[in-house]
């Protein structure tokens, strides 16, 4: 595996490439052209410039997160083929620049949902959190307004103001879209793009829905073992794969994360590793990566990835805001650097135990 950090670009991120380069064991970044809109073709020159900037710092681009998918594709509108063609052109440009991993999601309207961006924990750190009661009491058109004050002046992925201005129209697009129809539209999209993925060896890694249940009545499909295995069989191409996000699949406590990792051997192209602390099944907050700080056994998660021979990038997902840092919530430097060191330590221990034990862990 390769340890990486998500980086939004020098114009948008408070964390610098120089700082990332100094985190022990981190050799790459997961990045994006953050100011591109869903449906827009990514210019090859801009991709090359981003790549050169990263490489000049002594790092490299390990993957792209995200090339966002236009709502017309998700909802199967008459103009979806136009946006799929644009997506294919972007994939071609990425492939020509020797970039071979794209993390994406197929979540309706909201890329992810949290009801708090700065819940204070007992140690004084602040974290992203979710309570179903808060969602139930909220008008979805007011969702952005309810959390925007805690964004520390940043633009949160999936919550761009210009996008949130059209929430009402986007909800209307999903009026007749249920889980089955959303699956059909995802299959249609993947079948259209697989030829270019085959040509350029691009791994498409779908990110699970977050949280793993319907929010505001919208369909959600990438939520559990049954559904993700269905998608892998539905488009049975090795380039159709998964971003295994422990924090997203893990929002559903019925999901056995190590078991799911083992069942997805060969189809996990990217991993987001983070921990959650639950107060009830629908009230959780993001925790430090350390197993004892949340509900997940991080050793067992990393061990499962090791045992399936996972060689792709891992990034420590959503850190706490600690030591008075002001940054995009979840994406500061300090706690994610601690997370990277912790996960690297687990991996080293698992590897050495296997070697010393003659193959068993």
């Amino acid at each position: 595996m390769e340890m990486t950090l998500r980086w939004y670009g020098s114009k948008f991120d408070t964390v610098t490439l120089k700082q990332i380069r100094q985190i022990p064991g981190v050799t790459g970044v997961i990045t994006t052209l953050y100011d591109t809109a869903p449906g827009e073709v990514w210019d090859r020159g801009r991709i090359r410039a981003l790549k050169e900037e990263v490489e000049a710092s002594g790092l490299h681009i390990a993957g792209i997160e995200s090339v966002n998918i236009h709502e017309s594709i998700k909802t199967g509108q008459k103009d979806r083929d136009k946006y799929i063609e644009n997506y294919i052109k972007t994939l071609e440009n990425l492939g020509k620049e020797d970039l071979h991993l794209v993390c994406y999601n197929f979540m309706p309207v909201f890329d992810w949902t949290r009801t708090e961006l700065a819940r204070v924990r007992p140690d004084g750190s602040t974290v992203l959190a979710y309570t179903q009661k808060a969602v139930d009491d909220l008008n979805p058109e007011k969702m952005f307004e309810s959390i925007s004050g805690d964004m520390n002046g940043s633009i949160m992925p999936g919550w761009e103001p210009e996008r949130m201005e059209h929430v009402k129209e986007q909800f209307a697009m999903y009026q007749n879209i249920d889980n089955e129809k959303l699956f059909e539209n995802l299959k249609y999209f993947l079948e259209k793009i697989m030829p270019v993925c085959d040509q350029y060896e691009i791994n498409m890694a779908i990110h699970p829905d977050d949280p793993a249940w319907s929010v505001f009545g919208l369909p959600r499909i990438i939520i559990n073992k049954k559904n993700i295995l269905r998608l892998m069989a539905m488009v049975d191409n090795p380039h159709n794969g998964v971003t295994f996000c422990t924090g997203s699949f893990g929002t559903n406590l019925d999901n056995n994360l190590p078991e799911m990792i083992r069942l997805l051997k060969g189809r996990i192209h990217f991993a987001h590793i983070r921990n959650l602390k639950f107060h009830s099944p629908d009230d959780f907050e993001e925790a430090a990566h350390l197993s004892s700080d949340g509900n997940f056994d991080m050793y067992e998660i990393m061990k499962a990835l090791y045992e399936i021979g996972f060689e792709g990038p891992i990034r420590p997902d959503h850190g706490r805001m600690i030591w008075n840092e002001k940054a995009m919530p979840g994406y500061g430097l300090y706690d994610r650097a601690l997370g990277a060191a912790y996960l690297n330590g687990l991996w080293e221990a698992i590897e050495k135990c296997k070697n010393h034990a003659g193959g068993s862990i």
Side-chain angles (χ1 to χ4, degrees):
M1 68 89 182
E2 179 187 14
M3 190 57 64
T4 66
L5 212 73
R6 189 172 189 181
W7 182 66
Y8 289 95
S10 52
K11 292 182 180 179
F12 303 99
D13 209 317
T14 58
V15 180
T16 67
L17 291 170
K18 181 178 180 180
Q19 290 170 323
I20 295 171
R21 181 68 179 84
Q22 294 172 20
I23 303 171
V26 172
T27 56
V29 296
I30 304 296
T31 190
T32 187
L33 293 179
Y34 198 38
D35 54 355
T36 53
E40 180 181 344
V41 176
W42 287 24
D43 177 75
R44 185 177 173 186
R46 291 195 64 201
I47 296 169
R48 185 185 302 118
L50 178 65
K51 184 179 174 183
E52 290 172 351
E53 180 183 8
V54 172
E55 290 176 349
S57 73
L59 298 162
H60 78 111
I61 296 178
I64 297 296
E65 183 184 347
S66 302
V67 180
N68 290 319
I69 296 176
H70 198 276
E71 297 294 331
S72 287
I73 298 174
K74 298 177 189 177
T75 55
Q77 302 295 311
K78 292 180 180 179
D79 60 353
R80 66 176 169 179
D81 286 337
K82 174 183 72 174
Y83 291 112
I84 291 174
E85 282 303 313
N86 287 352
Y87 207 98
I88 288 170
K89 290 175 184 175
T90 293
L91 292 178
E92 288 174 342
N93 288 339
L94 290 170
K96 289 173 182 176
E97 291 302 322
D98 200 27
L99 298 175
H100 304 285
L101 170 67
V102 172
C103 171
Y104 72 104
N105 74 72
F106 219 71
M107 284 180 259
V109 186
F110 303 118
D111 278 5
W112 50 271
T113 308
R114 291 293 181 271
T115 54
E116 299 167 71
L117 301 184
R119 180 183 287 184
V120 180
R121 303 195 77 216
D123 62 5
S125 63
T126 60
V127 293
L128 292 89
Y130 180 98
T131 59
Q132 188 61 44
K133 184 180 185 305
V135 171
D136 293 341
D137 292 341
L138 192 64
N139 180 333
E141 294 179 43
K142 302 293 184 181
M143 187 70 198
F144 175 78
E145 186 179 306
S146 72
I147 62 173
S148 59
D150 289 329
M151 289 184 177
N152 293 329
S154 64
I155 301 172
M156 298 288 286
W159 294 86
E160 298 83 0
E162 61 274 13
R163 182 175 180 176
M164 292 300 100
E165 288 175 2
H166 302 286
V167 166
K168 187 174 181 179
E169 298 97 299
Q170 291 183 52
F171 265 81
M173 293 174 70
Y174 286 91
Q175 189 171 7
N176 297 312
I177 305 293
D178 59 11
N179 286 351
E180 286 303 311
K181 186 61 178 176
L182 194 60
F183 256 122
E184 288 176 19
N185 294 340
L186 176 53
K187 181 175 185 287
Y188 183 90
F189 166 71
L190 286 171
E191 287 178 339
K192 289 284 189 180
I193 69 168
M194 280 298 109
V196 74
C197 292
D198 291 337
Q199 180 182 355
Y200 290 100
E201 294 295 323
I202 295 174
N203 288 326
M204 295 296 296
I206 193 166
H207 189 285
D209 300 345
D210 190 356
W213 55 77
S214 177
V215 176
F216 299 122
L218 293 166
R220 289 283 174 100
I221 56 176
I222 310 302
I223 59 174
N224 54 27
K225 175 177 70 175
K226 176 184 176 182
N227 285 17
I228 193 61
L229 291 176
R230 175 184 175 183
L231 178 61
M232 296 301 99
M234 185 181 287
V235 182
D236 193 12
N237 183 312
H239 294 121
N240 171 33
V242 183
T243 294
F244 198 92
C245 178
T246 61
S248 297
F249 278 130
T251 56
N252 182 347
L253 288 170
D254 291 333
N255 283 334
N256 183 322
L257 301 178
E259 176 197 32
M260 291 174 68
I261 289 169
R262 292 183 174 94
L263 288 171
L264 289 164
K265 180 178 180 180
R267 302 296 279 272
I268 298 176
H269 299 316
F270 183 26
H272 293 179
I273 308 298
R274 59 182 157 97
N275 203 353
L276 298 178
K277 176 70 174 179
F278 285 82
H279 301 286
S280 73
D282 59 10
D283 180 348
F284 61 84
E285 62 194 39
E286 300 186 354
H289 289 82
L290 189 72
S291 296
S292 60
D293 199 50
N295 283 75
F296 302 159
D297 188 329
M298 307 301 274
Y299 170 81
E300 289 296 335
I301 288 167
M302 294 295 283
K303 180 169 172 278
L305 286 167
Y306 183 88
E307 288 178 346
I308 66 168
F310 177 72
E311 296 180 344
I314 287 177
R315 69 171 178 85
D317 206 7
H318 300 182
R320 302 166 299 147
M321 299 306 297
I322 60 174
W323 303 335
N324 298 317
E325 185 178 19
K326 294 293 183 185
M328 182 189 297
Y331 288 100
L333 170 67
Y334 306 138
D335 201 42
R336 287 191 299 154
L338 293 175
Y342 174 64
L343 297 176
N344 267 329
L346 284 175
W347 191 271
E348 180 181 349
I350 292 164
E351 187 170 49
K352 287 184 173 178
C353 282
K354 181 180 185 298
N355 292 339
H356 293 163
S360 61
I361 302 176

